Amino acid sequence: MQNTRYLECLASDYRRLREVVTGGPLDAVVPSCPDWSMADLARHVAQVYLHKTECMRHGVEPESWPPDLAGEEPIALLDRAYAALTHELTSRSPDAPAAGWYEPDPTVGFWIRRMAQETVVHRIDAELAAGVPSATVPDDLAVDGIDEVLEVCLAYATRSWPEYFTELMVGNDGRGVVVAGGGSRWLVRFDRDVVTVRPASTDEADARVSGDPDAVLRWLWRRVDDDAVRIEGEKDLVVRLRQLLGVATL
């Protein structure tokens, strides 16, 4: 996807997120994040936006985070944070350096992509909390999101922070799961110490998760249950993938 398309998706999903948060009760429980209310969700998104703003503005991650934002009304805080984030994303070159946790791409462009994907997931969270119909994730954003959560969030995390995955790696023997959506396929292989992800040239694997890109993205982010996608093959591998994603996307 082009950066202009990411920014377009970010703007669209932010508008929908704000609309749902504004229209729903702020004390509504977020089913996908049961420790949060709708107000907590709004504050979380605002904190994420402000954190990435600091990463771009100063070139380093803030030492003390989060700041005390308790005095700000959630919608006003969300608007302020979004304005600050989009100013940084659009006033800098995508190739400009920016602090962050993903060492292969320490640029503004990484945060353009990450914030588009972050926002669509939390837009879905808001819709779930409000009990309103959820807008379909466009195919291009969903396919890109599948790729990002598998490679950037899952595979990279197992390489960089293996201590968080130790128990779930027990029994890994090179078997894998093909994840398929929108004509694209990824082979997620459970090696002994890491998870590896690469494009899959065939559907040959020990297990397979497939469906519309929107459904597969939601499933990978644990926003829908197994009945939203098609699952084939060795169920234990699919369960392991789901558990690993639960840690990687925490």
Side-chain angles (χ1 to χ4, degrees), residues 5-244:
R5 176 60 176 151
Y6 285 125
L7 291 169
E8 178 183 314
C9 292
L10 170 60
S12 176
D13 284 312
Y14 177 75
R15 287 193 300 270
R16 175 62 174 164
L17 169 66
R18 189 188 189 283
E19 174 189 23
V20 175
V21 172
T22 302
L26 289 176
D27 61 353
V29 174
V30 182
S32 43
C33 306
D35 292 337
W36 288 355
S37 66
M38 186 84 87
D40 295 329
L41 173 64
R43 290 188 179 279
H44 168 78
V45 174
Q47 287 178 1
V48 170
Y49 287 172
L50 291 173
H51 184 270
K52 307 324 167 198
T53 297
E54 294 295 299
C55 288
M56 289 181 281
R57 184 175 291 164
H58 300 293
V60 294
E61 294 193 65
E63 292 184 6
S64 178
W65 199 265
D68 184 5
L69 304 171
E72 290 192 60
E73 188 272 331
I75 305 300
L77 174 61
L78 195 59
D79 285 341
R80 177 172 74 83
Y82 177 73
L85 173 72
T86 53
H87 173 76
E88 296 301 324
L89 294 178
T90 58
S91 65
R92 299 173 183 272
S93 167
D95 296 327
W101 50 266
Y102 188 63
E103 291 186 1
D105 187 9
T107 68
V108 170
F110 172 78
W111 289 125
I112 293 175
R113 182 193 195 192
R114 179 82 284 280
M115 290 301 95
Q117 295 295 346
E118 178 88 5
T119 303
V120 72
V121 170
H122 287 315
R123 180 264 286 175
I124 292 168
D125 289 332
E127 292 166 334
L128 290 170
V132 297
S134 184
T136 301
V137 181
D139 282 355
D140 58 346
L141 184 66
V143 170
D144 182 81
I146 295 168
D147 182 79
E148 190 215 33
V149 72
L150 291 177
E151 174 53 47
V152 175
C153 297
L154 177 58
Y156 180 75
T158 65
R159 297 193 300 270
S160 299
W161 303 286
E163 63 274 18
Y164 294 113
F165 300 91
T166 303
E167 292 184 7
L168 292 174
M169 292 296 185
V170 174
N172 282 4
D173 55 9
R175 291 180 296 163
V177 178
V178 164
V179 177
S184 298
R185 294 185 297 248
W186 298 261
L187 175 61
V188 183
R189 199 172 78 174
F190 307 125
D191 293 322
R192 189 182 67 163
D193 297 318
V194 296
V195 173
T196 60
V197 176
R198 64 173 175 80
S201 57
T202 72
D203 284 338
E204 294 180 9
D206 303 285
R208 188 171 188 263
V209 178
S210 61
D212 293 336
D214 173 280
V216 173
L217 178 67
R218 292 172 192 250
W219 185 87
L220 293 170
W221 277 97
R222 301 163 65 88
R223 265 54 183 184
V224 293
D225 295 327
D226 288 352
D227 57 3
V229 295
R230 184 178 181 184
I231 295 175
E232 303 166 276
E234 299 182 25
K235 179 72 173 179
D236 65 306
L237 296 179
V238 176
V239 170
R240 183 171 302 184
L241 173 59
R242 186 87 153 175
Q243 292 172 330
L244 287 163

